[in-house]
Amino acid sequence: NRTDADIALLTPDSVPLANLNQSDIDRIVANTPGGLANLQDIYGLSPLQDGILFHHLMSRQGDPYLLMSQMAFPDRILLDRYLSAFQAVIDRHDILRTAFLWEELTEPVQVVWRKAQLAITELQLDPSDGPVAEQLRHRFSPRRTQIDLGTAPLMRIIIAQDPRTKQWVLTHLMHHL
């Protein structure tokens, strides 16, 4: 890793694990929130990652490598504590701060950010449309949903309070890349 936090210019020599030209690197820096200061490293993809990306790109609807799980929390305080702990895990592990870029690049790459904020969407759902957990499962089914692989972390959290039970339901989408 030759990308120190205070680096002024990133060149192809600075990223030996990716076959990129200066134009590619400039495009990657431009697509990294916070620019060069937030760019920790750039790597090529493994053969397995190449295959997963191929299937993601070929999917017209949904994504075969998108995973979904759900949890329920008895109150908002406990939910917020969980989300805070989850962000701490993301802050600690490089792979959870990794985005994947390929458009207009010589080759697809994985880009490790120094800081990546977990995307959390809060919804208000109508209980007359059925149980909140079922509504979320249906609405965000991996058979219909894709997430942006160019934004780290490759996870999305959707939360909604169930007015009937007063519980908070959390839907966690995570891409296998």
Side-chain angles (χ1 to χ4, degrees), residues 8-77:
L9 177 66
L10 192 62
T11 65
D13 292 337
S14 305
V15 288
L17 297 178
N19 184 24
L20 301 171
N21 59 44
Q22 191 61 49
S23 175
D24 291 333
I25 292 172
D26 294 343
R27 190 169 286 112
I28 291 167
V29 170
N31 285 303
T32 300
L36 189 54
N38 195 34
L39 202 153
Q40 182 175 320
D41 214 339
I42 303 172
Y43 303 94
L45 272 59
S46 72
L48 180 60
Q49 288 172 319
D50 269 329
I52 292 171
L53 179 60
F54 171 81
H55 287 282
H56 169 79
L57 295 173
M58 293 304 295
S59 298
R60 295 187 186 273
Q61 183 178 4
D63 191 321
Y65 289 99
L66 185 61
L67 307 173
M68 181 176 68
S69 62
Q70 285 189 320
M71 293 180 241
F73 295 84
D75 58 55
R76 183 63 191 245
I77 293 170

